């Protein structure tokens, strides 16, 4: 992706970023950060959700490579809480309790409608194979049209609701012809497997276990649906203004290691343990490896990405998920221009 020129609404942030970067020496900049327990004097603390047992950040936590990358710009990580849905993470950034989080453009849009205190600075292309609409093996649902009159579990305002609405729109099926059952993703598997819903619109974090168990399959995946559901990284706006070099260093770490993960997905699974509830084993491990190989890398946000973000925003407004079209462009950072 090619980086885009900062938009007018970002001009003030860009100016503040430049002044912050050039108006003080690194020691003064670092001293303005939160120290945290045991932090070295003058070191900026970056509050990031704990990544668990898999992925780029988990590997960086385990082997020390993330600490090394951030120490070069006078920063260190404080692992805060745990990674999960973007909506609560966005609230935590708004409340100055978190500096960085990962989410989808779909959940990002609904969070941007809530007086946001964050901006997006990277984009990963929509997942063509790891997200979609799951049905149980043996289900009589053979096509999207068979969802009419059925119950589909979705997370409200996020990836699940988007995938279902997008799939229905593509087939010309009225949205109200399918009953949306709003559930938290981490509470949906039991409901889905008990047959209390007929399908589940979901992404790879939860789909891998279901497909890996041999008990579920995608009725339609992201490619079939025509999903524009990018994965994004967000940073607290004030943190980006105060510490642009740290944001840029974090971007480069994520970009470089996402390319490594795509080439060798197995190295980023079961980072801390290969047993227990957080481990991915058996067929599920093979499913996750395949999904990761076919996924994207963490890149700067380019003009073509912005157009697709805005398409999602208009779609959400048209579908009454948001009361109006959410302004996305004014909450995007050109990460490569930071210094």
């Amino acid at each position: 992706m090619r980086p885009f020129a900062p938009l007018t609404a970002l001009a003030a942030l860009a100016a503040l970023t430049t002044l912050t970067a050039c108006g003080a020496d690194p020691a003064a900049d670092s001293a303005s950060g939160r120290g945290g327990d045991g932090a070295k004097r003058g070191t900026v603390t970056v509050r990031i959700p704990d990544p668990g047992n898999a992925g780029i950040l988990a590997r960086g936590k385990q082997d020390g490579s993330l600490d090394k990358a951030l120490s070069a710009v006078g920063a260190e990580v404080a692992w805060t809480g745990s990674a999960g849905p973007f909506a609560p993470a966005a609230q935590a950034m708004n409340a100055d309790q978190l500096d960085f989080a990962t989410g989808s453009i779909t959940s990002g849009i609904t969070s941007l409608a809530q007086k946001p205190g964050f901006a997006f600075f990277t984009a990963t292309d929509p997942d063509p194979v790891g997200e979609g609409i799951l049905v149980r093996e043996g289900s009589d649902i053979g096509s999207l049209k068979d969802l009419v009159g059925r119950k589909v579990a979705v997370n409200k305002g996020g990836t699940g609701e988007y995938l279902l609405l997008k799939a229905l729109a593509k087939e010309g099926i009225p949205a109200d012809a399918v009953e949306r059952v709003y559930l938290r993703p981490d509470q949906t598997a039991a409901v889905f497997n008990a047959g209390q819903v007929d399908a589940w619109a979901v992404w790879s974090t939860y789909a891998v276990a279901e497909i890996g168990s041999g008990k579920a399959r995608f009725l339609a995946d992201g490619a079939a649906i025509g999903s524009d559901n990018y994965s994004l990284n967000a940073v607290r706006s004030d943190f980006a203004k105060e510490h642009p070099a740290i944001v840029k260093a974090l971007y480069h770490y994520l970009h470089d290691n996402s390319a490594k993960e795509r080439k060798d997905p197995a190295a980023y699974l079961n980072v801390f343990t290969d047993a227990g509830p957080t481990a991915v084993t058996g067929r599920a491990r093979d499913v996750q490896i395949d999904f990761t190989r076919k996924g994207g890398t963490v890149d700067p946000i380019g003009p073509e990405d912005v157009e697709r973000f805005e398409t999602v925003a208009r779609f959400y407004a048209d579908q009454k998920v948001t009361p109006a079209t959410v302004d996305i462009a004014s909450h995007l950072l050109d990460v490569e221009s930071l210094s």
Side-chain angles (χ1 to χ4, degrees):
M1 302 178 195
R2 293 187 303 254
F4 65 96
L7 298 165
T8 303
L10 288 177
L13 177 56
L16 283 170
T17 296
T18 303
L19 290 172
T20 302
C22 302
D25 62 30
D29 184 58
S30 297
S32 67
R34 296 164 303 279
D37 293 340
K40 294 183 286 293
R41 183 177 178 83
T43 300
V44 177
T45 301
V46 188
R47 297 166 296 180
I48 299 176
D50 191 282
N53 195 33
I56 299 168
L57 293 176
R59 173 58 64 190
K61 180 182 178 182
Q62 190 272 338
D63 65 13
S65 58
L66 180 59
D67 285 333
K68 183 178 180 180
L70 291 180
S71 67
V73 287
E76 66 179 11
V77 176
W79 301 107
T80 305
S82 59
F86 182 71
Q91 292 173 356
M93 285 188 287
N94 293 344
D96 190 17
Q97 298 171 347
L98 194 67
D99 300 311
F100 167 87
T102 301
S104 64
I105 183 59
T106 48
S107 57
I109 286 170
T110 51
S111 296
L112 285 173
Q114 309 297 319
K115 296 183 179 179
F118 62 89
F120 295 111
F121 67 102
T122 76
T124 302
D125 284 344
D127 187 348
V129 297
E131 65 177 13
I133 299 174
L134 283 176
V135 295
R136 291 179 298 279
E137 286 290 359
S139 169
D140 62 353
I141 299 174
S143 71
L144 291 170
K145 293 186 183 300
D146 293 334
L147 293 176
V148 173
R150 308 292 187 110
K151 296 179 179 180
V152 182
V154 301
N155 60 313
K156 186 174 179 62
T159 291
E161 187 162 31
Y162 168 77
L163 291 171
L164 176 61
L165 291 173
K166 181 76 172 176
L168 296 178
K170 186 175 182 181
E171 292 294 316
I173 301 170
D176 60 5
V178 176
E179 182 179 347
R180 279 169 269 174
V181 179
Y182 293 118
L183 294 169
R184 276 176 34 187
D186 60 350
Q187 297 177 335
T188 306
V191 176
F192 174 71
N193 287 307
Q196 294 175 312
V197 293
D198 301 293
W200 181 8
V202 69
W203 61 101
S204 62
T205 301
Y206 302 96
V208 165
E210 302 305 316
I211 295 172
S213 72
K215 297 179 181 179
R217 59 180 171 81
F218 273 137
L219 176 67
D221 61 17
I225 291 170
S227 172
D228 282 320
N229 187 38
Y230 281 77
S231 175
L232 307 177
N233 284 305
V235 61
R236 189 169 57 83
S237 299
D238 286 345
F239 187 94
K241 294 174 188 176
E242 295 164 7
H243 310 295
I246 296 173
V247 178
K248 190 169 186 176
L250 183 56
Y251 156 69
H252 282 297
Y253 182 86
L254 295 169
H255 171 76
D256 294 347
N257 285 277
S258 66
K260 294 177 183 178
E261 182 186 30
R262 190 177 183 187
K263 290 180 180 178
D264 185 15
Y268 292 80
L269 290 176
N270 303 331
V271 172
F272 291 99
T273 178
D274 57 6
T278 64
V280 182
T281 59
R283 187 184 171 203
R285 181 177 180 274
D286 296 334
V287 171
Q288 182 63 74
I289 287 172
D290 180 60
F291 284 175
T292 302
R293 283 202 179 112
K294 294 175 181 176
T297 56
V298 176
D299 294 313
I301 298 170
E304 70 282 7
D305 306 317
V306 179
E307 290 178 9
R308 292 174 72 178
F309 296 171
E310 291 174 338
T311 296
V312 177
R314 289 192 296 271
F315 179 76
Y316 257 24
D318 291 343
Q319 295 289 329
K320 311 302 182 186
V321 176
T322 57
T325 301
V326 173
D327 174 21
I328 298 175
S330 61
H331 301 285
L332 304 176
L333 291 178
D334 179 2
V335 68
E336 292 193 324
S337 73
L338 302 180
S339 59

